Amino acid sequence: EVQLLESGGGLVQPGGSLRLSCAASGFTFSSYAMSWVRQAPGKGLEWVSGFSGSGGSTYYADSVKGRFTISRDSSKNTLFLQMNSLRAEDTAIYYCAKVLIAGTTFRGFDPWGQGTLVTVSS
Amino acid sequence: QSALTQPASVSGSPGQSITISCTGTSSDVGGYDFVSWYQQHPGKAPKLMIYDVSNRPSGVSNRFSGSKSGNTASLTISGLQAEDEADYYCGSFTSSTTLKFGGGTKLTVL
């Protein structure tokens, strides 16, 4: 069974940094693209960043480009999101998600983790 | 980047069919057959219901179907059931090599 478990969320002051982790199991981690998607309280989904499968390419939403960095450690089956220069509008539940089809990056996310809450406030 | 356009809410009675639209541009929905749909129950993570416009992942009921015409994609749920009450989001690959979601649609089963 595929499982994704996020961690690392919490309360951080504006301008601060946080590193999220997503521990994956149940599939060949290095063969599948992964993404981070966030959801502000009471709001809709917003794609944040993606990491391709074997190619190692990274992609970012304009809203986080230059502030967030996605990476992965295939030896530990873990996806990361380093978040710097955090703003109040970054407050959200952050989900990691696996792409459905190996060799693709954006064609459907399945499954999703349970999410980790990031709150940016002074 | 503005979100894809979805109706804020739709409703239907048990057994009926409903359709949720998702409108974008030629740079996203209209330009690629990479539209997906997600179901989200309150307090839960989203679940993939449709990918590549009209394909169902294993385990998803055939009551869910997807289609696309021009810049608008649609999700149809037939034989509505109480458990279908949830928020639904469309997502599309974009020409900027990103993913864009719709604003979400709240489905109420009357």
Side-chain angles (χ1 to χ4, degrees), chain A residues 37 39 43-47 59-62 95 100-101 106-115, chain B residues 1 34 36 38 40 43-48 50-52 57 89 93 97-103:
Chain A
V37 178
Q39 186 170 34
K43 302 297 184 181
L45 302 176
E46 179 187 14
W47 176 83
Y59 310 94
Y60 299 94
D62 288 344
Y95 297 98
L100 178 67
I101 303 171
F106 297 101
R107 291 168 56 189
F109 298 147
D110 178 69
W112 299 51
Q114 87 293 342
Chain B
Q1 280 185 323
F34 298 148
S36 50
Y38 301 87
Q40 186 179 34
K44 301 294 187 182
K47 174 187 176 184
L48 179 67
I50 296 287
Y51 69 97
D52 291 356
Y89 295 90
F93 176 72
T97 319
T98 62
L99 190 89
K100 185 183 293 187
F101 284 104

Side-chain angles (χ1 to χ4, degrees), chain A residues 87-109:
Chain A
R87 307 165 180 168
E89 53 265 37
D90 295 319
T91 294
I93 296 173
Y94 284 73
Y95 297 98
C96 69
K98 166 188 163 292
V99 76
L100 178 67
I101 303 171
T104 70
T105 304
F106 297 101
R107 291 168 56 189
F109 298 147

Side-chain angles (χ1 to χ4, degrees), chain B residues 7-12 18-21 77 86 88 105-110:
Chain B
S9 63
V10 298
S11 63
I18 63 95
T19 297
I20 300 172
S21 61
I77 308 174
Y88 291 84
T105 298
K106 180 177 180 60
L107 169 62
T108 300
V109 180
L110 302 171

Side-chain angles (χ1 to χ4, degrees), chain A:
Chain A
E1 178 191 7
V2 174
Q3 290 193 330
L4 302 172
L5 185 62
E6 303 94 335
S7 61
L11 175 64
V12 60
Q13 292 188 338
S17 298
L18 214 53
R19 188 196 200 201
L20 305 184
S21 299
C22 172
S25 61
F27 64 102
T28 305
F29 183 70
S30 59
S31 296
Y32 287 84
M34 301 286 294
S35 274
W36 288 98
V37 178
R38 69 185 180 184
Q39 186 170 34
K43 302 297 184 181
L45 302 176
E46 179 187 14
W47 176 83
V48 172
S49 181
F51 198 112
S52 68
S54 56
S57 298
T58 58
Y59 310 94
Y60 299 94
D62 288 344
S63 58
V64 306
K65 199 173 295 182
R67 299 188 300 123
F68 290 11
T69 302
I70 190 172
S71 61
R72 64 198 289 170
D73 183 338
S74 292
S75 68
K76 296 181 179 178
N77 288 354
T78 303
L79 180 74
F80 301 102
L81 185 67
Q82 177 67 43
M83 303 186 296
N84 299 331
S85 302
L86 282 162
R87 307 165 180 168
E89 53 265 37
D90 295 319
T91 294
I93 296 173
Y94 284 73
Y95 297 98
C96 69
K98 166 188 163 292
V99 76
L100 178 67
I101 303 171
T104 70
T105 304
F106 297 101
R107 291 168 56 189
F109 298 147
D110 178 69
W112 299 51
Q114 87 293 342
T116 186
L117 178 62
V118 172
T119 303
V120 183
S121 175
S122 54

Side-chain angles (χ1 to χ4, degrees), chain B residues 27-64:
Chain B
S27 296
D28 38 67
V29 174
Y32 309 91
D33 287 334
F34 298 148
V35 176
S36 50
W37 289 91
Y38 301 87
Q39 176 192 66
Q40 186 179 34
H41 287 108
K44 301 294 187 182
K47 174 187 176 184
L48 179 67
M49 306 304 285
I50 296 287
Y51 69 97
D52 291 356
V53 176
S54 60
N55 293 318
R56 280 187 308 276
S58 174
V60 171
S61 170
N62 59 10
R63 297 186 298 105
F64 292 82

